[in-house]
Amino acid sequence: MRPSYVKLVETVKLPRMALVRQHFAAQDVDDPAHAVHDALAGAGFVRERIRPGMSVALTVGSRGLASLPELVRAIVGELRTLGAEPFIVPSMGSHGGATAEGQVKVLAQLGVTEASAGCPIRSSMETVEVGVLDNGMSVRIDKLAYEADGIVLFNRIKPHSAFRWENESGLAKMLAIGLGKQSGADNCHAWGFNYVGRFVVEMARVKLATCKVLFGIGTVENAYDRLSKVVVLPTEGMIEKERVFLAEAMRNMPRLPLGPLDQPLASGPLDVLLVDYVGKEFSGSGMDPNITGRPSTTAIKGGPSVSRIVVLDVTDKSQGNANGVARADVITERLFDRFDRESVYTNSLTSGVLIAASLPMAMPDEKTAIQAAVKTCESHTPDAITMIRIPNTLHLEYLYASEALLPQLVGRPGVEIMSEPAPMRFDADGRLLDPWPIGH
């Protein structure tokens, strides 16, 4: 039986939508293995730091980096060619349920296994203390990595979804939080996200001074979620050098076609943002607040001003970890039922952002969820709702825009309107039928 409150939205008229394509300026790396080889060969200090037979711990995190399995295998192969004996250390703070087995499982879900990488994966949550910050906070590092003959940091360099600082997601964060395991993540987040960036840098400096970090390998991605660049940074000045690539990564970010073109992050008002999927492979926050304008913390600002956000589902890869879906206003009962409290609560308690574990209003199906958002978006022009539908917050090449938005998009650089506006289509169960282009 349908809940009685559904009657309040059943007659809400939905806007007609048109398929839109965004064209972003982007540099692509066609061969990840070749890019790794060239980057390592071009860094003269690399060969000087690898001794034959030395054990090298390679960090691999929990994010869905572009070409991750290929990159990991290539790095392992290059280290072996130089005479090292590499092994992978899962480096993801508290992710994977904060267990050694769970972190290995996360890597497997990302396509990284011992077979794919060509080397062992050694996972443990045990850490050792290597220093203390001025505020008395313990600085800890994965014990297996600490006991290796050397550590090679590997991570994507990009803007963080919960704080702004000179270093955000990248090699410094991998060193401070990823290799810090549960305790490192707890300590970095202990004072809240307004301090995370500061502690990431301070802890990274301690570890660079006390641990056997050989060098770092960073990737930069383009607006299409594809590999754009591989860089190798020495330990000397690593923190400062990484900042140049963070700025590049921010310029590369995709955005909604709203607001001034000369701003790295989108701005501008929107009545409704419809997101098909949240997922950890798209953002640590499930849906990136740099795109939605809905951060879970006060340590990040920017993005559009959206009146209502609807989320339809969580990806299978996330296994119910719908962390951050609290920033939506309406979800479906399907997403509500798939919400895994264990994984979401672990993330939220570690980060200290308890609101990220909340759940919004859940409507019976996709149609009524969208209708609820449109009904309550407080538009002054209910017959001209501005709405954008996206598959997720990482892939913004294709989107659907409401008819009322099209005048703003016509002639906007990099925007192509691919279809005439048409009514949104649903099946008998209220599931949205309008498809994304094949291969998207």
Side-chain angles (χ1 to χ4, degrees):
M1 178 180 293
R2 302 268 284 181
S4 59
Y5 54 78
V6 171
K7 295 179 182 179
L8 298 176
V9 303
E10 282 181 331
T11 60
V12 172
K13 181 181 177 182
L14 297 180
R16 301 201 306 167
M17 307 289 283
L19 182 64
V20 174
R21 184 177 186 180
Q22 297 197 91
H23 299 271
F24 302 105
Q27 173 183 325
D28 272 310
V29 169
D30 296 326
D31 187 338
H34 193 264
V36 168
H37 173 80
D38 285 353
L40 288 169
F45 54 86
V46 168
R47 187 172 294 276
E48 299 170 1
R49 301 182 185 190
I50 302 290
R51 302 187 311 274
M54 72 186 301
S55 61
V56 174
L58 174 65
T59 67
V60 182
S62 55
R63 298 288 182 255
L65 281 66
S67 305
L68 179 63
E70 296 89 344
L71 287 166
V72 172
R73 185 172 186 84
I75 294 169
V76 168
E78 293 292 330
L79 292 174
R80 285 199 187 281
T81 298
L82 292 169
E85 294 296 334
F87 65 95
I88 290 171
V89 173
S91 306
M92 55 189 78
S94 65
H95 293 177
T99 68
E101 298 79 11
Q103 297 201 344
V104 173
K105 183 180 293 187
V106 169
L107 292 188
Q109 291 166 355
L110 296 172
V112 178
T113 64
E114 292 187 344
S116 74
C119 74
I121 297 176
R122 299 175 186 165
S123 184
S124 169
M125 298 304 292
E126 189 175 356
T127 59
V128 296
E129 185 176 86
V130 295
V132 178
L133 299 186
D134 290 342
N135 63 4
M137 195 172 285
S138 177
V139 181
R140 309 188 69 86
I141 190 168
D142 180 276
K143 186 173 186 291
L144 295 173
Y146 181 76
E147 292 176 346
D149 296 325
I151 300 169
V152 171
L153 302 173
F154 167 57
N155 200 17
R156 173 179 54 195
I157 301 170
K158 69 179 290 290
H160 199 273
S161 60
F163 69 88
R164 291 275 87 90
W165 203 258
E166 293 176 306
N167 295 76
E168 297 182 21
S169 287
L171 301 176
K173 181 171 176 282
M174 175 61 77
L175 187 54
I177 295 180
L179 275 177
K181 313 300 274 197
Q182 174 77 50
S183 58
D186 271 338
N187 286 341
C188 270
H189 294 95
W191 288 17
F193 269 100
N194 286 305
Y195 291 88
V196 170
R198 168 186 152 186
F199 291 153
V200 161
V201 171
E202 290 182 3
M203 289 187 178
R205 290 197 192 282
V206 171
K207 292 180 185 180
L208 286 171
T210 59
C211 303
K212 293 168 283 192
V213 180
L214 303 176
F215 51 87
I217 303 173
T219 66
V220 178
E221 296 177 4
N222 60 34
Y224 295 101
D225 185 34
R226 299 195 294 259
L227 184 64
S228 175
K229 183 177 293 184
V230 177
V231 297
V232 178
L233 304 182
T235 52
E236 301 83 10
M238 176 184 290
I239 292 173
E240 290 72 25
K241 289 180 173 66
E242 181 182 74
R243 293 168 182 170
V244 175
F245 298 104
L246 173 60
E248 180 178 342
M250 183 169 285
R251 292 192 298 270
N252 287 355
M253 283 188 68
R255 56 179 291 180
L256 300 178
L258 301 169
L261 290 165
D262 58 352
Q263 295 183 10
L265 300 179
S267 63
L270 187 68
D271 290 330
V272 179
L273 178 62
L274 170 57
V275 184
D276 281 18
Y277 287 96
V278 295
K280 298 295 283 187
E281 66 264 49
F282 308 133
S283 170
S285 298
M287 53 181 182
D288 192 340
N290 293 304
I291 304 301
T292 66
R294 291 280 189 92
S296 297
T297 76
T298 59
I300 184 171
K301 293 177 173 62
S305 174
V306 181
S307 179
R308 291 289 181 264
I309 295 180
V310 188
V311 177
L312 302 182
D313 208 346
V314 59
T315 62
D316 292 339
K317 285 185 178 180
S318 291
Q319 295 190 320
N321 189 341
N323 177 53
V325 76
R327 306 316 296 162
D329 300 290
V330 189
I331 62 174
T332 61
E333 285 185 357
R334 173 177 167 80
L335 173 50
F336 182 93
D337 292 339
R338 300 183 74 191
F339 185 89
D340 179 57
R341 290 198 303 172
E342 182 171 352
S343 57
V344 175
Y345 285 15
T346 297
N347 280 177
S348 295
L349 289 168
T350 299
S351 69
V353 184
L354 297 187
I355 193 172
S358 304
L359 279 167
M361 173 182 285
M363 295 298 286
D365 52 44
E366 296 179 0
K367 183 177 183 181
T368 54
I370 301 168
Q371 288 174 313
V374 170
K375 175 181 173 62
T376 62
C377 72
E378 301 177 345
S379 172
H380 292 182
T381 53
D383 292 331
I385 295 294
T386 59
M387 181 161 73
I388 288 178
R389 175 193 172 198
I390 58 176
N392 54 69
T393 57
L394 183 60
H395 303 111
L396 301 182
E397 178 181 3
Y398 293 97
L399 53 87
Y400 281 93
S402 65
E403 191 168 13
L405 269 177
L406 297 185
Q408 300 180 38
L409 302 183
V410 172
R412 185 182 176 97
V415 172
E416 176 187 1
I417 298 174
M418 300 187 67
S419 73
E420 294 294 323
M424 301 178 75
R425 299 179 303 123
F426 300 86
D427 66 15
D429 296 320
R431 297 289 293 269
L432 191 56
L433 292 174
D434 299 316
W436 296 104
I438 295 174
H440 178 57

